[in-house]
């Protein structure tokens, strides 16, 4: 399975997950507890390399239709994909998003892979509340992963759910652990569709007053509380609001999703606007972001009409566009994947009149 997401191209050889997180946005797409192989690893990598929207600049996520460390079979498949990518000398950043367990033996195999691997480890104080995970084993996993020289380890503090892992005690507990082992943290809220809203309500779990099927909702005051407590633990520890921001920081590049310029066209009534935009209201993100300067510099770089037309021609797209000061306006209707690709390859923010979604993404948003 291959999907172009907002922050990466996702390839999965397995589908389904037995962890059973109560907040899983995919839970409405059928019986997710059935784990099955859906793609051959060699064929999957070939499909990726032949994909019309592929570029070696875009991060690749592996097996995020399941958990890449779910069990021995999925882990072995994840490793096969990595080994094939290594043989083909892929230059892409490789993202492994997991809350699974890593043994010393598995780590030894992973340590031999020569790729640009970033492991985003979900640890947010929900291990034994909503995730059916053993926190002690998760901490041991982060300890093991932090020793590997060939990977970068990132903490995913997500989802933040008000009243469950947004209190000071939980935040202090998480920060005291992850700041020891991880290079940075990415904090985000919870994305809710109608199905998931019903699931959480039936489990007597409080949900945000405003929920959004397309954005992860996080209250500005909650993000500030998390950031302030983390900074008390380690004042130099980097924190980010978006996945692409954290990944770009590790790669020493400007944010490839261009969040710093979204103030120019994002809707101020969007529930996620205060978190995405920050408080500066000057067209760039908060100045205390460690990537602030490099992103600001990129936002000021100009792109010509001929350059952007070349990006459209490369993927056989026809249509008119307008180059604005801080983004590019596409006239007409485009697939969400096409807009993401153009954003990533041009290093500019892209806004289309209307976005079409894949069937699975459309269903998720209901």
């Amino acid at each position: 399975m291959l999907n172009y997401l907002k922050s990466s191209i996702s390839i999965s050889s397995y589908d389904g997950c037995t962890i059973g997180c109560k907040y899983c946005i995919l839970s409405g797409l059928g019986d997710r507890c059935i784990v099955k192989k859906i793609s051959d690893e060699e064929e999957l990598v070939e499909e990726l390399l032949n994909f019309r929207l592929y570029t070696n600049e875009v991060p690749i996520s592996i097996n995020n239709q399941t958990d890449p460390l779910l069990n021995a079979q999925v882990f072995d498949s994840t490793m096969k994909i990595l080994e094939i990518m290594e043989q083909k000398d892929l230059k892409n950043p490789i993202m492994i998003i997991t809350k699974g367990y890593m043994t010393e033996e598995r780590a030894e195999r992973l340590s031999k892979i020569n790729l640009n691997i970033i492991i985003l480890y979900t640890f947010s104080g929900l291990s034994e509340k909503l995730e059916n995970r053993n926190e002690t084993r998760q901490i041991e996993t982060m300890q093991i992963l932090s020793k590997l020289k060939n990977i970068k380890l990132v903490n995913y503090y997500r989802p933040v759910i008000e009243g469950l892992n947004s209190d000071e005690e939980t935040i202090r507990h998480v920060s005291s652990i992850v700041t020891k082992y991880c290079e940075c943290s990415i904090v985000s809220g919870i994305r809710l569709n109608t199905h998931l809203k019903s699931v959480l309500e039936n489990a007597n779990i409080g949900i945000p007053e405003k929920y959004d099927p397309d954005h992860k909702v996080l209250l500005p005051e909650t993000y500030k509380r998390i950031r302030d407590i983390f900074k008390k633990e380690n004042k130099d520890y980097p924190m980010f609001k978006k996945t692409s921001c954290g990944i770009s920081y590790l790669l020493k590049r400007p944010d490839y999703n261009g969040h710093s310029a979204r103030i120019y066209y994002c809707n101020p009534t969007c529930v996620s606007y205060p978190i995405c935009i920050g408080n500066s209201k000057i067209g760039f993100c908060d100045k205390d972001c460690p990537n602030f300067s490099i992103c600001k510099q990129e936002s000021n770089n100009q792109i010509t009409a001929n350059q952007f037309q070349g990006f459209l021609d490369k993927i056989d797209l026809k249509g008119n566009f307008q180059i604005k000061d801080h983004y590019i306006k596409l006239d007409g209707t485009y697939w969400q994947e096409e807009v993401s690709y153009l954003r990533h390859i041009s290093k500019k923010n892209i806004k289309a009149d209307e976005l079409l979604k894949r069937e699975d993404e459309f269903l998720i948003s209901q």
Side-chain angles (χ1 to χ4, degrees):
M1 179 182 291
L2 186 153
N3 290 320
Y4 203 120
L5 307 178
K6 292 179 181 178
S7 291
S8 67
I9 301 176
S10 166
I11 61 171
S12 293
S13 55
Y14 273 82
D15 184 53
C17 181
T18 55
I19 296 177
C21 300
K22 290 183 175 62
Y23 54 76
C24 181
I25 193 69
L26 300 178
S27 62
L29 297 180
D31 191 351
R32 297 289 301 162
C33 293
I34 300 175
V35 181
K36 56 185 179 297
K37 188 166 185 177
I38 55 175
S39 298
D40 173 79
E41 293 82 7
E42 187 84 43
E43 293 176 358
L44 190 60
V45 176
E46 284 300 319
E47 181 184 2
L48 168 70
L49 295 177
N50 292 320
F51 182 41
R52 67 184 272 261
L53 302 182
Y54 171 76
T55 168
N56 62 15
E57 298 179 40
V58 179
I60 308 299
S61 298
I62 298 179
N63 267 332
N64 64 345
Q65 290 294 121
T66 178
D67 187 299
L69 308 183
L70 182 68
N71 55 37
Q73 291 75 29
V74 176
F75 173 76
D76 186 61
S77 181
T78 299
M79 288 303 305
K80 286 181 180 178
I81 292 172
L82 291 174
E83 289 161 356
I84 294 167
M85 288 179 164
E86 183 182 26
Q87 292 169 8
K88 294 183 179 295
D89 196 27
L90 262 68
K91 302 302 183 184
N92 302 70
I94 307 299
M95 295 166 52
I96 296 177
I97 303 171
T98 181
K99 56 176 70 73
Y101 307 132
M102 176 68 72
T103 64
E104 295 284 359
E105 292 75 18
R106 288 183 178 183
E108 176 66 22
R109 184 176 176 187
L110 180 59
S111 70
K112 297 176 181 178
I113 299 294
N114 183 24
L115 290 170
N116 190 3
I117 300 174
I118 301 171
I119 295 183
L120 298 102
Y121 200 82
T122 301
F123 187 81
S124 64
L126 296 177
S127 302
E128 296 173 13
K129 296 177 181 178
L130 300 182
E131 296 173 348
N132 192 29
R133 295 283 85 184
N134 180 278
E135 184 178 279
T136 300
R137 290 191 65 188
Q138 286 193 300
I139 295 171
E140 291 171 353
T141 292
M142 285 186 282
Q143 289 176 320
I144 291 170
L145 290 172
S146 68
K147 297 174 184 176
L148 301 184
K149 304 299 183 184
N150 65 323
I151 71 156
K152 296 178 177 67
L153 181 61
V154 175
N155 163 236
Y156 249 159
Y157 194 134
R158 73 171 196 180
V160 177
I161 303 176
E162 295 296 325
L164 285 182
N165 60 344
S166 62
D167 59 285
E168 292 191 10
E169 181 180 357
T170 300
I171 299 168
R172 282 196 298 270
H173 173 65
V174 173
S175 66
S176 68
I177 295 167
V178 302
T179 55
K180 292 179 184 176
Y181 304 120
C182 301
E183 297 191 37
C184 64
S185 286
I186 298 168
V187 184
S188 62
I190 185 167
R191 177 184 176 189
L192 295 174
N193 55 18
T194 303
H195 166 77
L196 195 52
K197 178 177 180 288
S198 175
V199 170
L200 296 183
E201 286 178 337
N202 290 338
N204 294 317
I205 297 172
I207 61 173
E209 182 179 344
K210 294 183 178 180
Y211 73 94
D212 192 322
D214 294 311
H215 300 89
K216 299 178 180 72
V217 177
L218 176 62
L219 299 178
E221 57 268 29
T222 300
Y223 176 76
K224 183 179 184 303
R225 184 187 313 124
I226 294 171
R227 184 189 62 187
D228 290 349
I229 292 174
F230 268 64
K231 292 297 183 182
K232 287 181 181 178
E233 188 71 38
N234 182 341
K235 65 181 180 63
D236 297 321
Y237 185 77
M239 298 188 68
F240 301 93
K241 306 169 187 175
K242 297 291 183 179
T243 295
S244 62
C245 296
I247 298 300
S248 299
Y249 163 76
L250 293 174
L251 298 174
K252 298 180 173 57
R253 303 175 188 172
D255 174 27
Y256 58 88
N257 263 334
H259 288 98
S260 61
R262 292 195 174 184
I263 189 174
Y264 292 104
Y265 65 78
C266 276
N267 183 357
T269 64
C270 172
V271 293
S272 293
Y273 185 89
I275 291 298
C276 295
I277 302 305
N279 298 317
S280 62
K281 299 293 188 295
I282 60 171
F284 302 103
C285 295
D286 296 332
K287 290 185 177 181
D288 61 355
C289 173
N291 240 24
F292 179 87
S293 295
I294 190 172
C295 287
K296 182 175 181 179
Q297 181 179 350
E298 175 61 39
S299 289
N300 289 329
N301 290 338
Q302 300 297 312
I303 187 171
T304 68
N306 284 339
Q307 287 174 318
F308 192 74
Q309 185 63 56
F311 297 139
L312 294 175
D313 293 342
K314 185 178 179 181
I315 56 173
D316 297 321
L317 278 182
K318 308 296 181 184
N320 297 322
F321 61 90
Q322 306 159 47
I323 297 181
K324 306 288 188 178
D325 285 343
H326 295 280
Y327 67 97
I328 297 171
K329 166 71 166 54
L330 299 175
D331 297 334
T333 302
Y334 290 80
W335 286 99
Q336 182 171 287
E337 292 91 337
E338 294 170 340
V339 170
S340 292
Y341 168 84
L342 291 170
R343 182 187 303 128
H344 297 158
I345 195 69
S346 69
K347 309 297 189 298
K348 296 298 176 185
N349 242 302
I350 311 293
K351 180 176 176 60
D353 287 333
E354 185 177 354
L355 283 180
L356 298 174
K357 296 181 179 181
R358 301 186 317 268
E359 181 179 6
D360 59 332
E361 181 64 26
F362 176 78
L363 292 172
I364 287 172
S365 298
Q366 302 307 300

